[in-house]
Each structure stands twice: as C-alpha cells, then as structure tokens.
Amino acid sequence: MYQLNQGTWHSDGFEPSTRNGEFDRQESTFRDWITADGSSGYKAEPGRYHLYVSLACPWAHRTLIVRSLKGLEAVISVDVVEPHMGEEGWVFGTYPGSSRDTVNGLRTLHEVYRMADAHFNGIVTVPVLWDKQRRRIVNNESSEIIRMLNTAFNAWGRHQVDLYPKPLREEIDAINRSIYDYVNNGVYRAGFATTQTAYEQAVVQLFEMLDVLEARLAEQRYLVGDQITEADWRLFTTLARFDTVYHTHFKCSLRRLVDYPNLWAYTRELYQIPGIAETVNLDHIKHHYYTSHPTLNPKGIVPIGPQLDFTAAHDRDRFTKPESERNPT
C-alpha cells in the first residue's frame, strides 16, 4: 500500500487493505470543521481555503459538485492531481485537466500531508480541504466537506441552495448509509475482494440495492421526494462511473446502469444540471482506474468504450405533472 508511516513515504506496491478477503476502507484522519462564525477554530472566509482533488475519484467529485452548485468557484480554489496513481501516489503535473500545486508548490499530495503533520500515519487520499492561512489540512472526509460547503460559505455563495435541509435530514442520513454501504463502497468491496465469497456477497448486495433504487425512482423524481439533496449527488458520482469502470474493472457485471431505465434517466438528468457536466471527466476516470490498479489490470490497457450519451433526453420532469398524467416508465 502507498502510505505515510511516521511521515516517511512507503511505496511497496498497490494492495488495498482487506480483512478476511473483504475490502477494508480506512477512516479519514483530518476531521476539523469550518463554520460561518469561526467558533470551530476555522472561520469561513473567501480565498482562505483550497481543495486538492482528483477528477477520477468519486469522493472528491462530490466536493466539486457542491462547490459548483453553491457558486463557490471564486471563493474556494482548486488544484487537480494527475489521474494515474503510481509509486508516488497522487501527483501534480501537466496531464490534460490536471494542474500544478498552486498553493504550496509541491510535487506530490503526500508532501501536502507531511506539511500538515510531519509524523502522519496512513494513506494519502483526496479530497483535501486546505487552510492557506494556517497551512494545514482542515478535513479530508468528503461527506463532511460537502456539508461545510453547503452552509458555511452562504455569505458568498448561493444561500438559497440547501442540499441538507433540516426537515429531510433524518431521511437523507438513512438513505446515505444504505447507498454508502452497498453502492458507493460496494463497488470497491467487489473490485478489491480477494476471495470469491467476499466478491459475490458484495456484488449481490450492490445489485439488490440498485434494484431498490430503481423501484424508488420509478415513483419519485429524486431520492428524497421532489427535491435534490446531497443524497442524490453522493449516488451520482458512483453511477456516472458505473458502466465506464465498475461494470468491467471491478467485475460489477450482473447488469449495466443503462439496463435500469429509471436510474439511467435519473443519472442523465443530474448530469444535465448546469455546472455538473464540467465536473465529469471520463478520460481521468478511465485513465486512473485502468492504469493505477496493476493487480486488477496488469497491462494497464484503457478500454475505448463504452459509448454513453449523458446528454440524451431523460423525461424525469414527468414527475412535475399530476400522477394521472405521467407516462409509464
């Protein structure tokens, strides 16, 4: 595993952590919080904070989506690592769509982690929310970063956009848990399983959950009724990658996303919301997954397909009509 051990970089090959053949995702380490009033120790201010992301990573993708929806592009700056993750882990560079480290001038993301904590232990992940003023990492947990972006910066962003409204929080949290366990993390549990039993369990649970979501979206426009919430965007980043990488690369091959009429139409609708298409980079996604996991794809060959049209008509707006006038799916 590529990781820091007491601040020293170890690159002894890519081998995801497993337990009894099952993929074991490690917890995020930096868990501080930005608030509008600064009571947390980190005050929301324009220009103070910076995101380090990968366009390939579904977890980092969430943060770019919320940054766009909230209109925070001029408030929070971004640097993008190259899609290939090799012996140096995530690196900054010149691959199209990537950037240099414009804040700290470093070459690798693990150097950013070491700047924040000279004795850091653990894997180096994206996204990273960086404080330019205190020169340290605030948070590297995507689910928490998107909630900070949703509320803390309302003075400079679209305050009317609320992806985690109070009346819906209990329902959002409940569906988030299921989607994380069986879909967001489920594809990784399938792809990185080291036993047949662990793999089959993950795949069965994944597609059982997709079946549940397909039925849910046959009855309502979004995951929590008629309003887009963070739950939709947390699911979207996995669905946007499903047929391109997870179906083949992670052997999630019982069905394709395009075989689910409601899920596929729902994915297209979300993709077509202004500002979202610009956050989806299939070149980075394919290049990362197919070249960064040598145990899964030793030759590093990147497939040229599949051909997907995220811009095709979706007909999800039928849910704005009275039920008696809706077209059958």
PDB file of all heavy atoms in Angstrom, residues 69 94 102 107 131 217 258 281:
ATOM      1  N   LEU A  69     -22.522  23.905  -7.424  1.00  0.00           N
ATOM      2  CA  LEU A  69     -23.931  24.200  -7.158  1.00  0.00           C
ATOM      3  C   LEU A  69     -24.099  25.392  -6.221  1.00  0.00           C
ATOM      4  O   LEU A  69     -25.056  26.156  -6.341  1.00  0.00           O
ATOM      5  CB  LEU A  69     -24.619  22.972  -6.562  1.00  0.00           C
ATOM      6  CG  LEU A  69     -24.764  21.757  -7.484  1.00  0.00           C
ATOM      7  CD1 LEU A  69     -25.311  20.575  -6.704  1.00  0.00           C
ATOM      8  CD2 LEU A  69     -25.654  22.069  -8.676  1.00  0.00           C
ATOM      9  N   THR A  94       1.158  17.820 -15.510  1.00  0.00           N
ATOM     10  CA  THR A  94       0.721  18.500 -16.730  1.00  0.00           C
ATOM     11  C   THR A  94      -0.256  17.674 -17.559  1.00  0.00           C
ATOM     12  O   THR A  94      -0.600  18.060 -18.676  1.00  0.00           O
ATOM     13  CB  THR A  94       1.940  18.840 -17.601  1.00  0.00           C
ATOM     14  OG1 THR A  94       2.645  17.617 -17.925  1.00  0.00           O
ATOM     15  CG2 THR A  94       2.880  19.794 -16.881  1.00  0.00           C
ATOM     16  N   THR A 102      -0.686  24.941  -6.861  1.00  0.00           N
ATOM     17  CA  THR A 102      -0.573  26.398  -6.944  1.00  0.00           C
ATOM     18  C   THR A 102      -0.499  27.063  -5.572  1.00  0.00           C
ATOM     19  O   THR A 102      -0.230  28.262  -5.481  1.00  0.00           O
ATOM     20  CB  THR A 102      -1.768  26.985  -7.706  1.00  0.00           C
ATOM     21  OG1 THR A 102      -2.982  26.662  -7.010  1.00  0.00           O
ATOM     22  CG2 THR A 102      -1.823  26.447  -9.127  1.00  0.00           C
ATOM     23  N   ARG A 107       5.164  18.692  -5.264  1.00  0.00           N
ATOM     24  CA  ARG A 107       5.058  17.791  -6.410  1.00  0.00           C
ATOM     25  C   ARG A 107       4.053  16.677  -6.173  1.00  0.00           C
ATOM     26  O   ARG A 107       3.435  16.170  -7.114  1.00  0.00           O
ATOM     27  CB  ARG A 107       6.430  17.191  -6.722  1.00  0.00           C
ATOM     28  CG  ARG A 107       6.518  16.418  -8.039  1.00  0.00           C
ATOM     29  CD  ARG A 107       7.936  15.953  -8.307  1.00  0.00           C
ATOM     30  NE  ARG A 107       8.406  15.054  -7.272  1.00  0.00           N
ATOM     31  CZ  ARG A 107       8.168  13.736  -7.245  1.00  0.00           C
ATOM     32  NH1 ARG A 107       7.440  13.177  -8.202  1.00  0.00           N
ATOM     33  NH2 ARG A 107       8.636  12.978  -6.269  1.00  0.00           N
ATOM     34  N   ASP A 131      -6.242  24.804   4.538  1.00  0.00           N
ATOM     35  CA  ASP A 131      -6.321  26.165   5.055  1.00  0.00           C
ATOM     36  C   ASP A 131      -5.037  26.901   4.682  1.00  0.00           C
ATOM     37  O   ASP A 131      -3.963  26.586   5.201  1.00  0.00           O
ATOM     38  CB  ASP A 131      -6.489  26.132   6.582  1.00  0.00           C
ATOM     39  CG  ASP A 131      -6.629  27.514   7.206  1.00  0.00           C
ATOM     40  OD1 ASP A 131      -6.462  28.523   6.492  1.00  0.00           O
ATOM     41  OD2 ASP A 131      -6.887  27.577   8.420  1.00  0.00           O
ATOM     42  N   LEU A 217     -37.034   5.235  -7.701  1.00  0.00           N
ATOM     43  CA  LEU A 217     -37.023   6.314  -8.688  1.00  0.00           C
ATOM     44  C   LEU A 217     -38.095   6.146  -9.759  1.00  0.00           C
ATOM     45  O   LEU A 217     -38.297   7.046 -10.569  1.00  0.00           O
ATOM     46  CB  LEU A 217     -35.628   6.416  -9.319  1.00  0.00           C
ATOM     47  CG  LEU A 217     -34.540   6.911  -8.359  1.00  0.00           C
ATOM     48  CD1 LEU A 217     -33.159   6.733  -8.969  1.00  0.00           C
ATOM     49  CD2 LEU A 217     -34.777   8.368  -7.966  1.00  0.00           C
ATOM     50  N   VAL A 258     -27.174   1.308 -17.796  1.00  0.00           N
ATOM     51  CA  VAL A 258     -28.122   1.601 -18.874  1.00  0.00           C
ATOM     52  C   VAL A 258     -29.233   0.560 -18.965  1.00  0.00           C
ATOM     53  O   VAL A 258     -30.215   0.767 -19.691  1.00  0.00           O
ATOM     54  CB  VAL A 258     -27.403   1.728 -20.241  1.00  0.00           C
ATOM     55  CG1 VAL A 258     -26.426   2.904 -20.230  1.00  0.00           C
ATOM     56  CG2 VAL A 258     -26.695   0.428 -20.618  1.00  0.00           C
ATOM     57  N   ASN A 281     -15.163  14.014 -15.816  1.00  0.00           N
ATOM     58  CA  ASN A 281     -14.072  13.853 -16.769  1.00  0.00           C
ATOM     59  C   ASN A 281     -13.824  12.357 -16.969  1.00  0.00           C
ATOM     60  O   ASN A 281     -13.088  11.737 -16.191  1.00  0.00           O
ATOM     61  CB  ASN A 281     -12.811  14.559 -16.262  1.00  0.00           C
ATOM     62  CG  ASN A 281     -11.709  14.604 -17.305  1.00  0.00           C
ATOM     63  OD1 ASN A 281     -11.399  13.594 -17.928  1.00  0.00           O
ATOM     64  ND2 ASN A 281     -11.108  15.774 -17.495  1.00  0.00           N
TER      65      ASN A 281
END
